[in-house]
Amino acid sequence: EMERMLELVKPSTIQVDARLRGPTLAVEDLMRLDEGNVLMFDYPTSKPIDILVNGKLKYHALPASHGRKKAVHIEALHNP
């Protein structure tokens, strides 16, 4: 039964978002954004990033890299 269920959900996709807790952006700055601009936040790399799955908070992670790609390292499961 488990194998059958896995076969049914395999083709599904999920939305995964990584969110910084705390940084804000003034509306004035947002309106001035243009292609090629870089947003810099006063956000320490040691502060966890929230990882949401389909809009629900599931994990806490730290910034990382994997080869030449940006990544996150899962530090903890979210316990509501």
Side-chain angles (χ1 to χ4, degrees):
E1 183 65 23
M2 182 66 115
E3 278 186 40
R4 186 171 98 55
M5 287 176 59
L6 286 174
E7 288 301 317
L8 290 172
V9 297
K10 265 187 188 177
S12 301
T13 59
I14 59 172
Q15 172 115 15
V16 177
D17 296 299
R19 295 190 183 166
L20 306 176
R21 277 186 274 150
T24 58
L25 183 64
V27 173
E28 181 180 3
D29 295 334
L30 178 66
M31 294 180 71
R32 290 184 187 157
L33 282 178
D34 201 4
E35 189 175 314
N37 290 150
V38 175
L39 291 175
M40 293 180 53
F41 296 104
D42 184 20
Y43 194 86
T45 56
S46 60
K47 187 173 179 183
I49 296 170
D50 290 338
I51 306 297
L52 292 86
V53 177
N54 286 340
K56 296 187 182 203
L57 180 59
K58 295 290 184 181
Y59 309 100
H60 302 288
L62 291 175
S65 61
H66 185 72
R68 296 176 60 184
K69 296 188 177 194
K70 302 294 181 208
V72 293
H73 181 260
I74 304 296
E75 292 289 312
L77 298 174
H78 175 69
N79 294 316

XYZ file of all heavy atoms in Angstrom:
632
model
N 0.837 -1.201 0.000
C 0.000 0.000 0.000
C 0.880 1.262 0.000
O 0.576 2.222 -0.677
C -0.926 -0.034 1.223
C -1.884 1.120 1.302
C -2.915 1.171 0.162
O -3.196 0.125 -0.462
O -3.419 2.260 -0.109
N 1.970 1.246 0.766
C 2.857 2.404 0.831
C 3.485 2.688 -0.527
O 3.575 3.831 -0.952
C 3.940 2.179 1.887
C 4.863 3.347 2.034
S 4.009 4.773 2.670
C 4.818 4.956 4.210
N 3.907 1.628 -1.222
C 4.499 1.798 -2.553
C 3.503 2.417 -3.517
O 3.845 3.287 -4.309
C 4.985 0.452 -3.102
C 6.333 0.044 -2.582
C 6.834 -1.221 -3.256
O 6.649 -1.362 -4.485
O 7.387 -2.052 -2.531
N 2.272 1.980 -3.461
C 1.225 2.521 -4.326
C 1.012 4.002 -4.043
O 0.901 4.813 -4.956
C -0.079 1.745 -4.131
C -1.184 2.153 -5.090
C -2.371 1.224 -5.015
N -3.486 1.643 -4.205
C -4.163 2.789 -4.304
N -3.799 3.686 -5.153
N -5.194 3.048 -3.536
N 0.991 4.366 -2.787
C 0.811 5.768 -2.414
C 1.989 6.612 -2.911
O 1.795 7.714 -3.426
C 0.647 5.902 -0.897
C -0.692 5.411 -0.405
S -0.866 5.439 1.384
C -0.617 7.129 1.778
N 3.207 6.098 -2.764
C 4.385 6.824 -3.236
C 4.337 7.028 -4.747
O 4.700 8.092 -5.247
C 5.666 6.098 -2.829
C 6.043 6.210 -1.360
C 7.240 5.319 -1.057
C 6.343 7.643 -0.992
N 3.901 6.030 -5.486
C 3.779 6.150 -6.940
C 2.771 7.227 -7.319
O 2.948 7.935 -8.305
C 3.388 4.810 -7.573
C 4.499 3.793 -7.582
C 5.731 4.269 -8.342
O 5.591 4.846 -9.433
O 6.850 4.065 -7.823
N 1.728 7.375 -6.530
C 0.706 8.389 -6.807
C 1.218 9.805 -6.562
O 0.856 10.726 -7.278
C -0.547 8.136 -5.947
C -1.372 6.914 -6.313
C -2.460 6.673 -5.268
C -1.991 7.076 -7.691
N 2.064 9.988 -5.554
C 2.524 11.340 -5.218
C 3.844 11.721 -5.884
O 4.209 12.888 -5.902
C 2.626 11.562 -3.688
C 1.265 11.432 -3.037
C 3.628 10.636 -3.064
N 4.572 10.766 -6.454
C 5.867 11.058 -7.085
C 5.804 12.203 -8.095
O 6.679 13.057 -8.097
C 6.437 9.809 -7.753
C 7.388 9.052 -6.902
C 8.012 7.935 -7.720
C 8.831 7.029 -6.845
N 9.376 5.903 -7.592
N 4.810 12.242 -8.988
C 4.790 13.313 -9.987
C 4.404 14.686 -9.421
O 4.498 15.689 -10.122
C 3.760 12.849 -11.010
C 3.107 11.639 -10.474
C 3.789 11.242 -9.213
N 4.001 14.733 -8.171
C 3.581 16.006 -7.568
C 4.759 16.944 -7.372
O 5.906 16.521 -7.252
C 2.936 15.750 -6.200
O 1.834 14.899 -6.324
N 4.467 18.238 -7.330
C 5.492 19.232 -7.018
C 5.059 19.993 -5.774
O 3.872 20.079 -5.461
C 5.697 20.223 -8.183
O 4.468 20.885 -8.449
C 6.181 19.518 -9.431
N 6.042 20.543 -5.076
C 5.762 21.349 -3.896
C 6.499 22.667 -4.026
O 7.472 22.778 -4.770
C 6.185 20.634 -2.589
C 7.688 20.305 -2.620
C 5.367 19.389 -2.353
C 8.228 19.787 -1.318
N 6.027 23.660 -3.332
C 6.670 24.968 -3.312
C 7.523 25.056 -2.054
O 7.047 24.790 -0.951
C 5.609 26.065 -3.281
C 6.167 27.434 -3.073
C 5.959 28.321 -4.264
O 5.173 28.007 -5.131
N 6.654 29.423 -4.292
N 8.797 25.409 -2.223
C 9.703 25.569 -1.085
C 10.222 27.001 -1.110
O 10.723 27.473 -2.128
C 10.882 24.571 -1.157
C 11.847 24.795 0.002
C 10.376 23.139 -1.168
N 10.063 27.707 0.013
C 10.518 29.089 0.146
C 11.495 29.195 1.300
O 11.316 28.547 2.335
C 9.339 30.034 0.436
C 8.342 30.081 -0.694
O 8.735 30.474 -1.801
O 7.172 29.727 -0.456
N 12.519 30.013 1.129
C 13.458 30.334 2.204
C 13.237 31.800 2.559
O 13.275 32.657 1.675
C 14.890 30.094 1.758
N 12.989 32.090 3.834
C 12.679 33.454 4.255
C 13.577 33.915 5.392
O 13.812 33.191 6.358
C 11.224 33.548 4.719
C 10.250 33.303 3.601
C 8.868 33.640 4.007
N 7.955 33.331 2.919
C 6.662 33.271 3.058
N 6.116 33.492 4.235
N 5.901 32.996 2.022
N 14.046 35.142 5.254
C 14.817 35.780 6.319
C 13.833 36.340 7.326
O 12.832 36.947 6.956
C 15.669 36.914 5.743
C 16.595 36.570 4.584
C 17.281 37.838 4.092
C 17.622 35.554 5.007
N 14.114 36.159 8.600
C 13.247 36.712 9.646
C 13.792 38.056 10.085
O 14.882 38.129 10.642
C 13.203 35.785 10.859
C 12.235 34.663 10.722
C 12.144 33.878 12.009
N 13.217 32.865 11.983
C 13.817 32.398 13.056
N 13.508 32.838 14.235
N 14.753 31.498 12.940
N 13.072 39.118 9.827
C 13.459 40.412 10.362
C 13.755 41.499 9.365
O 13.262 42.601 9.523
N 14.562 41.242 8.320
C 14.901 42.348 7.425
C 13.664 42.940 6.773
O 12.715 42.232 6.450
C 15.792 41.724 6.363
C 16.277 40.464 6.939
C 15.225 40.014 7.915
N 13.692 44.242 6.623
C 12.589 44.938 5.969
C 13.148 45.785 4.839
O 14.349 46.050 4.768
C 11.837 45.839 6.964
O 12.759 46.783 7.524
C 11.196 45.023 8.072
N 12.272 46.209 3.979
C 12.635 47.045 2.849
C 11.611 48.164 2.759
O 10.405 47.900 2.747
C 12.627 46.202 1.567
C 13.040 46.857 0.279
C 14.509 47.293 0.332
C 12.824 45.912 -0.884
N 12.078 49.399 2.737
C 11.171 50.540 2.640
C 10.478 50.518 1.279
O 11.067 50.129 0.266
C 11.947 51.837 2.815
N 9.215 50.947 1.252
C 8.451 50.985 0.009
C 9.181 51.844 -1.021
O 9.255 51.488 -2.206
C 7.021 51.512 0.259
C 6.279 51.710 -1.053
C 6.258 50.558 1.164
N 9.758 52.946 -0.575
C 10.496 53.835 -1.478
C 11.642 53.070 -2.164
O 11.840 53.183 -3.372
C 11.058 55.022 -0.685
C 11.821 56.006 -1.522
C 12.354 57.176 -0.697
O 12.176 57.174 0.542
O 12.957 58.058 -1.310
N 12.377 52.268 -1.384
C 13.471 51.478 -1.954
C 12.942 50.398 -2.891
O 13.527 50.125 -3.937
C 14.308 50.838 -0.844
C 15.033 51.878 -0.002
O 15.301 52.982 -0.517
O 15.325 51.564 1.172
N 11.832 49.788 -2.524
C 11.223 48.763 -3.359
C 10.838 49.337 -4.718
O 11.065 48.718 -5.757
C 9.988 48.175 -2.655
C 9.206 47.126 -3.421
C 10.038 45.872 -3.627
C 7.912 46.786 -2.702
N 10.290 50.544 -4.715
C 9.856 51.171 -5.966
C 11.038 51.548 -6.862
O 10.885 51.677 -8.071
C 8.976 52.374 -5.662
C 7.663 51.959 -5.010
S 6.596 53.327 -4.621
C 6.093 53.824 -6.248
N 12.214 51.705 -6.287
C 13.402 52.068 -7.057
C 14.154 50.854 -7.601
O 15.105 51.011 -8.355
C 14.359 52.878 -6.189
C 13.864 54.245 -5.865
C 14.921 54.993 -5.099
N 14.407 56.259 -4.631
C 14.884 56.923 -3.613
N 15.910 56.438 -2.929
N 14.364 58.069 -3.250
N 13.750 49.651 -7.189
C 14.455 48.455 -7.636
C 14.400 48.314 -9.147
O 13.383 48.567 -9.776
C 13.861 47.204 -7.001
C 14.241 46.920 -5.568
C 13.536 45.665 -5.084
C 15.736 46.785 -5.403
N 15.515 47.893 -9.699
C 15.605 47.699 -11.138
C 16.414 46.436 -11.411
O 17.151 45.955 -10.540
C 16.277 48.916 -11.777
C 15.977 49.042 -13.260
O 15.188 48.231 -13.788
O 16.531 49.960 -13.894
N 16.303 45.934 -12.587
C 17.049 44.748 -12.987
C 18.543 44.975 -12.768
O 19.082 46.029 -13.100
C 16.791 44.467 -14.468
C 17.335 43.162 -14.954
C 16.931 42.899 -16.389
O 15.750 43.092 -16.722
O 17.813 42.492 -17.160
N 19.188 44.012 -12.139
C 20.617 44.110 -11.875
C 20.958 44.682 -10.507
O 22.104 44.624 -10.080
N 19.968 45.267 -9.805
C 20.218 45.780 -8.457
C 20.509 44.627 -7.503
O 20.038 43.507 -7.691
C 19.025 46.561 -7.916
C 18.797 47.894 -8.604
O 17.675 48.344 -8.687
N 19.828 48.542 -9.091
N 21.280 44.919 -6.465
C 21.591 43.933 -5.433
C 20.982 44.423 -4.130
O 21.198 45.562 -3.731
C 23.125 43.761 -5.269
C 23.433 42.820 -4.119
C 23.736 43.252 -6.563
N 20.213 43.571 -3.480
C 19.640 43.903 -2.174
C 20.586 43.419 -1.094
O 20.964 42.248 -1.072
C 18.288 43.220 -1.975
C 17.133 43.701 -2.822
C 15.913 42.837 -2.579
C 16.816 45.150 -2.523
N 20.972 44.318 -0.214
C 21.832 43.935 0.908
C 21.040 44.125 2.193
O 20.417 45.161 2.396
C 23.095 44.794 0.917
C 23.984 44.507 -0.284
S 25.479 45.480 -0.340
C 26.194 45.181 1.245
N 21.041 43.098 3.026
C 20.333 43.145 4.296
C 21.342 43.024 5.426
O 22.342 42.333 5.309
C 19.332 41.990 4.404
C 18.234 42.047 3.388
C 18.247 41.214 2.291
C 17.188 42.939 3.535
C 17.237 41.252 1.358
C 16.164 42.991 2.609
C 16.182 42.146 1.517
N 21.044 43.693 6.518
C 21.866 43.561 7.710
C 21.372 42.314 8.448
O 20.655 42.391 9.438
C 21.725 44.818 8.571
C 22.634 44.785 9.783
O 23.620 44.017 9.763
O 22.355 45.505 10.749
N 21.726 41.165 7.906
C 21.231 39.887 8.415
C 22.421 38.963 8.617
O 23.072 38.553 7.652
C 20.256 39.277 7.399
C 19.426 38.146 7.944
C 18.239 38.400 8.614
C 19.823 36.832 7.786
C 17.464 37.365 9.108
C 19.053 35.791 8.277
C 17.879 36.069 8.933
O 17.109 35.043 9.424
N 22.744 38.625 9.861
C 23.926 37.784 10.105
C 23.767 36.381 9.511
O 22.679 35.807 9.552
C 24.017 37.719 11.630
C 22.688 38.122 12.141
C 22.029 38.957 11.089
N 24.843 35.854 8.963
C 24.788 34.515 8.364
C 24.598 33.419 9.411
O 24.301 32.288 9.077
C 26.059 34.225 7.546
O 27.193 34.388 8.393
C 26.154 35.150 6.351
N 24.758 33.788 10.686
C 24.572 32.806 11.760
C 23.109 32.739 12.228
O 22.759 31.888 13.032
C 25.464 33.160 12.946
O 25.140 34.447 13.435
N 22.265 33.626 11.720
C 20.853 33.639 12.116
C 20.063 32.703 11.200
O 20.213 32.749 9.986
C 20.295 35.061 12.020
C 18.909 35.208 12.564
C 18.494 36.670 12.585
C 17.082 36.812 13.117
N 16.627 38.188 13.073
N 19.220 31.830 11.774
C 18.489 30.862 10.956
C 17.552 31.507 9.936
O 17.029 32.594 10.142
C 17.679 30.062 11.973
C 18.372 30.258 13.263
C 18.963 31.644 13.194
N 17.381 30.796 8.844
C 16.435 31.147 7.785
C 15.266 30.188 7.919
O 15.449 28.999 8.172
C 17.110 30.967 6.405
C 18.271 31.949 6.260
C 16.110 31.121 5.276
C 19.142 31.671 5.046
N 14.042 30.692 7.768
C 12.864 29.834 7.824
C 12.655 29.169 6.466
O 12.727 29.827 5.428
C 11.613 30.647 8.174
C 11.631 31.136 9.605
O 12.340 30.549 10.436
O 10.908 32.117 9.897
N 12.390 27.867 6.479
C 12.089 27.131 5.258
C 10.620 26.719 5.317
O 10.192 26.031 6.242
C 12.976 25.868 5.118
C 14.454 26.229 5.221
C 12.650 25.132 3.825
C 14.969 27.146 4.143
N 9.869 27.206 4.337
C 8.446 26.899 4.261
C 8.193 25.921 3.132
O 8.786 26.033 2.059
C 7.632 28.171 4.015
C 7.622 29.174 5.172
C 8.814 30.082 5.109
C 6.354 29.973 5.156
N 7.315 24.957 3.376
C 6.913 23.981 2.366
C 5.428 24.184 2.132
O 4.626 24.087 3.061
C 7.217 22.534 2.822
C 6.723 21.532 1.783
C 8.706 22.359 3.091
N 5.087 24.531 0.896
C 3.703 24.861 0.546
C 3.107 25.881 1.516
O 1.967 25.755 1.956
C 2.838 23.609 0.465
C 3.114 22.804 -0.778
O 3.658 23.307 -1.752
N 2.760 21.533 -0.755
N 3.920 26.881 1.870
C 3.443 27.980 2.706
C 3.454 27.721 4.201
O 3.082 28.591 4.980
N 3.873 26.542 4.621
C 3.880 26.217 6.049
C 5.310 26.077 6.543
O 6.120 25.373 5.931
C 3.102 24.933 6.318
C 1.638 25.083 5.983
C 0.857 23.882 6.395
C -0.590 24.125 5.973
N -1.524 23.380 6.707
N 5.610 26.719 7.668
C 6.944 26.657 8.254
C 7.256 25.227 8.691
O 6.515 24.633 9.471
C 7.030 27.610 9.446
C 8.364 27.676 10.174
C 9.486 28.098 9.238
C 8.269 28.644 11.348
N 8.362 24.675 8.149
C 8.725 23.292 8.453
C 10.121 23.149 9.045
O 10.357 22.251 9.842
C 8.652 22.428 7.180
C 7.264 22.296 6.610
C 6.402 21.454 7.505
C 5.033 21.240 6.895
N 4.171 20.445 7.760
N 11.078 24.018 8.623
C 12.469 23.858 9.033
C 13.111 25.203 9.335
O 12.648 26.245 8.889
C 13.298 23.189 7.919
C 12.707 21.922 7.374
C 11.999 21.925 6.188
C 12.862 20.717 8.056
C 11.447 20.759 5.673
C 12.324 19.546 7.539
C 11.608 19.574 6.349
O 11.070 18.427 5.852
N 14.230 25.144 10.057
C 15.103 26.292 10.282
C 16.459 25.890 9.720
O 16.938 24.772 9.955
C 15.197 26.631 11.769
C 13.862 26.932 12.367
N 13.168 28.078 12.105
C 13.079 26.199 13.194
C 12.023 28.057 12.757
N 11.939 26.921 13.427
N 17.069 26.785 8.941
C 18.301 26.446 8.237
C 19.297 27.597 8.305
O 18.941 28.719 8.662
C 17.982 26.120 6.786
N 20.531 27.306 7.945
C 21.572 28.325 7.849
C 22.042 28.408 6.403
O 22.022 27.406 5.685
C 22.753 27.985 8.760
C 22.483 28.088 10.263
C 23.695 27.614 11.044
C 22.117 29.510 10.645
N 22.466 29.600 5.967
C 22.981 29.729 4.599
C 24.169 28.798 4.396
O 24.967 28.581 5.304
C 23.426 31.194 4.515
C 22.751 31.881 5.645
C 22.528 30.854 6.710
N 24.270 28.254 3.196
C 25.364 27.339 2.862
C 25.615 27.435 1.361
O 24.961 28.197 0.653
C 24.990 25.917 3.262
N 26.568 26.655 0.897
C 26.796 26.536 -0.542
C 27.103 25.078 -0.840
O 27.539 24.327 0.022
C 27.936 27.446 -0.996
O 29.135 27.085 -0.351
N 26.834 24.708 -2.060
C 27.099 23.346 -2.520
C 27.733 23.488 -3.898
O 27.049 23.795 -4.871
C 25.804 22.543 -2.578
C 26.017 21.110 -2.934
N 26.589 20.207 -2.070
C 25.738 20.410 -4.050
C 26.646 19.033 -2.642
N 26.134 19.130 -3.854
N 29.043 23.330 -3.931
C 29.752 23.607 -5.177
C 29.644 25.089 -5.485
O 29.940 25.925 -4.647
N 29.133 25.415 -6.652
C 28.981 26.813 -7.042
C 27.573 27.336 -6.796
O 27.238 28.451 -7.195
C 29.340 26.965 -8.518
C 30.812 26.642 -8.781
C 31.163 26.699 -10.224
N 30.916 28.046 -10.745
C 31.060 28.374 -12.004
N 31.445 27.480 -12.879
N 30.818 29.605 -12.410
N 26.732 26.543 -6.154
C 25.344 26.935 -5.935
C 25.104 27.355 -4.496
O 25.725 26.850 -3.573
C 24.409 25.786 -6.300
C 24.477 25.443 -7.769
C 23.419 24.464 -8.133
C 23.484 24.217 -9.629
N 22.320 23.548 -10.112
N 24.181 28.285 -4.313
C 23.746 28.692 -2.982
C 22.812 27.614 -2.447
O 22.077 26.977 -3.192
C 23.018 30.032 -3.019
C 23.844 31.146 -3.604
C 25.023 31.447 -2.725
C 25.821 32.581 -3.331
N 27.202 32.554 -2.990
N 22.837 27.410 -1.144
C 22.037 26.352 -0.539
C 21.701 26.745 0.898
O 22.092 27.811 1.362
C 22.827 25.045 -0.554
N 20.964 25.888 1.571
C 20.720 26.034 3.006
C 21.014 24.705 3.666
O 20.840 23.643 3.069
C 19.284 26.501 3.338
C 19.038 27.910 2.870
C 18.242 25.557 2.787
N 21.474 24.767 4.895
C 21.753 23.571 5.695
C 20.674 23.497 6.765
O 20.570 24.393 7.613
C 23.142 23.685 6.324
C 23.516 22.492 7.127
N 23.416 22.463 8.491
C 23.955 21.265 6.746
C 23.797 21.277 8.930
N 24.120 20.535 7.889
N 19.856 22.451 6.726
C 18.772 22.304 7.690
C 19.362 22.073 9.068
O 20.105 21.122 9.294
C 17.826 21.138 7.313
C 17.267 21.317 5.889
C 16.716 20.984 8.343
C 16.397 22.529 5.698
N 19.040 22.963 9.987
C 19.541 22.882 11.357
C 18.534 22.231 12.307
O 18.923 21.576 13.249
C 19.876 24.291 11.876
C 21.059 24.924 11.188
C 22.366 24.280 11.572
O 22.602 24.097 12.777
O 23.156 23.942 10.668
N 17.234 22.464 12.053
C 16.230 21.939 12.968
C 14.871 21.869 12.284
O 14.571 22.647 11.379
C 16.112 22.841 14.204
N 14.056 20.930 12.752
C 12.664 20.886 12.339
C 11.917 21.935 13.139
O 12.251 22.199 14.297
C 12.065 19.512 12.639
C 12.698 18.320 11.928
C 12.083 17.027 12.447
C 12.522 18.433 10.433
N 10.908 22.534 12.548
C 10.100 23.524 13.268
C 9.135 22.796 14.201
O 8.420 21.894 13.791
C 9.317 24.400 12.293
C 8.392 25.341 12.972
N 8.851 26.407 13.723
C 7.042 25.376 13.042
C 7.813 27.056 14.203
N 6.717 26.453 13.817
N 9.155 23.168 15.453
C 8.229 22.607 16.448
C 7.291 23.692 16.908
O 7.664 24.537 17.715
C 9.003 22.046 17.652
C 9.844 20.858 17.282
O 9.400 19.975 16.569
N 11.089 20.845 17.743
N 6.056 23.686 16.388
C 5.105 24.758 16.764
C 4.717 24.718 18.220
O 4.819 23.782 18.898
C 3.903 24.508 15.870
C 4.095 23.181 15.239
C 5.489 22.738 15.480
